[in-house]
Amino acid sequence: IIIIFLKYSFVNNLSVCQQYTVLLLIFLTLCYALTSNYLQWSKGIDVKNHQPNQTYPSQGFNNSNETTEIQYHLAYPRNYHFIMDHTEVCKAKPPFLVLMVAVATYDMAARDAIRRTWGKETLVKGELVKTLFLLGLPGGDDAEQKQQKLRGENLLYNDLIQSNFMDTYLNLTIKTMVIMDWLATRCPEAAYAMKIDADMFLNVDNLVIMLKKPGIPKQKYLTGLIKENIEVLRDKDSKWYVSEELFPDPVYPTYALGMGYVFSNDLTEKFVQASKAIKPFNIEDAYIGMCMKKLGLKLTAPPDMSQFKAYFKSYNRCEFSQVITYILVSSEDLLKYWGDVKRPGSPCQS
């Protein structure tokens, strides 16, 4: 801009006053562009720690069929690239079910507990099941040291997938969309997938039994603990605050709680494409609900709605043997309850 300005000034012999006027116009134009970009994202996405790919499209995919204009780049997952990846996971034999765990970079205790419990289940009711952990980038002054530990952990377990967005709570929508992108591009032949949080008790046997029931759709299917007519929280002190600028409607569309929802794998590419035209906000499960709405699709209630549960009042072995999901307080609880549910003997004996 400066070079053009100097050339323009020299050729046209602008006066000092005219030069100042042109410089002011350039300055105001730049301020407007930067301010517009900031206001668009700053109230619900972690802009400070946002690290998108520098080029679009990324990851070397064939995007020749992607004709929809991208309006909202921040949650569009192909603006990012994978730092740690496992492209071979689904090549030998496509899994029936892929469990994609959204977990914080620092939470190795949660990952280890899952590896020792429901994450070690690889053949369930005759069906192949894969469990993988999706991470963003660690932050802080010791970020490189943390990254080295993650690389070592991945060499040991071969189950970490990492993308180049900052791993923060506000970026859960980005993390979820990166999960969808990985499934769509690395494991498209899997029948079903589940996005699940790291603080969950998951009864994989019951989940596979449910998915194999007659009448369960193989396409355009999403189920879980379904919520309807949930009001958007406008309290700025709330963890789930969303501004009217990011989401103007007072009520969210129907969605499944992000603790753990299951979907047919054909939806993943559809979600990726839908994200081009949906303004991102920081409630990831409601964002997927927006994707379903944009696609003109409805969520499906599970065959037994009591199997998808959030919190429990007290541990009961029989009850835990019958559910699919429960939110836990700690990794220690997962190890304890899993060991009890799996011990010999009928869990519902009086």
Side-chain angles (χ1 to χ4, degrees):
I1 292 173
I2 293 174
I3 293 172
I4 293 172
F5 166 72
L6 291 173
K7 183 178 179 181
Y8 181 85
S9 300
F10 177 78
V11 171
N12 293 280
N13 297 317
L14 296 182
S15 67
V16 173
C17 181
Q18 288 173 323
Q19 290 180 28
Y20 279 128
T21 301
V22 174
L23 278 173
L24 179 61
L25 288 172
I26 293 172
F27 176 76
L28 291 174
T29 301
L30 288 172
C31 287
Y32 174 79
L34 291 171
T35 303
S36 298
N37 186 63
Y38 174 77
L39 289 175
Q40 186 174 10
W41 307 117
S42 63
K43 295 186 179 180
I45 303 293
D46 192 348
V47 176
K48 179 181 178 182
N49 291 319
H50 169 56
Q51 293 191 4
N53 216 23
Q54 297 301 309
T55 58
Y56 170 81
S58 64
Q59 308 176 66
F61 298 132
N62 179 6
N63 293 302
S64 59
N65 62 339
E66 297 181 9
T67 57
T68 305
E69 180 182 356
I70 303 176
Q71 295 175 276
Y72 301 107
H73 290 259
L74 198 60
Y76 181 63
R78 288 170 188 166
N79 280 339
Y80 304 87
H81 68 264
F82 293 108
I83 298 167
M84 290 192 288
D85 198 359
H86 297 294
T87 58
E88 77 291 346
V89 168
C90 301
K91 286 184 177 179
K93 181 180 179 182
F96 175 75
L97 173 65
V98 184
L99 305 173
M100 299 294 289
V101 187
V103 61
T105 56
Y106 62 82
D107 205 350
M108 186 174 179
R111 295 192 289 274
D112 280 343
I114 291 169
R115 290 178 183 121
R116 294 167 61 186
T117 57
W118 51 264
K120 70 178 182 181
E121 303 284 297
T122 56
L123 192 63
V124 181
K125 306 299 178 183
E127 302 291 352
L128 184 63
V129 177
K130 294 286 187 180
T131 300
L132 297 162
F133 300 94
L134 198 290
L135 316 168
L137 293 172
D141 296 335
D142 59 345
E144 182 53 38
Q145 183 180 356
K146 294 174 183 174
Q147 183 65 23
Q148 289 290 353
K149 289 182 178 179
L150 290 173
R151 292 191 189 104
E153 181 182 347
N154 189 47
L155 285 173
L156 185 61
Y157 296 106
N158 202 38
D159 59 5
L160 301 187
I161 296 174
Q162 186 183 40
S163 182
N164 70 325
F165 62 89
M166 292 307 301
D167 205 314
T168 64
Y169 182 78
L170 286 177
N171 283 346
L172 278 178
T173 298
I174 297 174
K175 178 178 282 191
T176 300
M177 293 311 302
V178 169
I179 284 174
M180 299 303 173
D181 181 43
W182 191 91
L183 288 165
T185 57
R186 269 58 170 175
C187 204
E189 295 180 356
Y192 297 96
M194 183 181 203
K195 179 267 169 186
I196 184 167
D197 289 342
D199 59 350
M200 299 298 298
F201 177 93
L202 174 64
N203 195 316
V204 190
D205 284 40
N206 290 343
L207 176 56
V208 171
I209 290 169
M210 183 201 81
L211 291 173
K212 294 181 71 174
K213 285 185 176 180
I216 294 296
K218 296 186 182 342
Q219 292 183 323
K220 300 178 181 179
Y221 176 69
L222 191 154
T223 194
L225 184 51
I226 296 174
K227 294 293 182 180
E228 298 179 303
N229 302 315
I230 300 298
E231 292 186 2
V232 181
L233 290 176
R234 305 299 188 192
D235 179 3
K236 293 184 179 180
D237 294 327
S238 171
K239 179 181 180 180
W240 299 284
Y241 163 72
V242 175
S243 68
E244 289 188 50
E245 183 181 2
L246 282 179
F247 194 87
D249 296 342
V251 176
Y252 289 121
T254 301
Y255 66 93
L257 277 190
M259 63 176 194
Y261 48 84
V262 192
F263 44 92
S264 55
N265 203 36
D266 66 301
L267 283 179
T268 55
E269 180 63 28
K270 293 179 174 63
F271 289 154
V272 170
Q273 297 304 318
S275 71
K276 295 177 181 180
I278 301 173
K279 192 171 186 177
F281 53 96
N282 49 297
I283 310 298
E284 61 88 9
D285 43 14
Y287 184 84
I288 293 297
M290 283 295 296
C291 290
M292 290 289 285
K293 182 179 179 180
K294 179 75 176 178
L295 294 166
L297 302 175
K298 292 184 178 181
L299 283 75
T300 305
D304 183 353
M305 289 185 290
S306 69
Q307 286 190 303
F308 285 88
K309 293 186 176 181
Y311 298 97
F312 61 95
K313 294 181 180 179
S314 61
Y315 172 74
N316 180 281
R317 187 187 182 208
C318 181
E319 184 176 353
F320 267 63
S321 71
Q322 296 172 347
V323 301
I324 290 175
T325 62
Y326 254 140
I327 299 175
L328 302 179
V329 174
S330 68
S331 300
E332 290 78 13
D333 283 346
L334 173 56
L335 293 168
K336 180 171 62 176
Y337 299 153
W338 182 269
D340 189 53
V341 169
K342 294 295 182 178
R343 66 180 167 84
S346 173
C348 294
Q349 283 180 337
S350 56

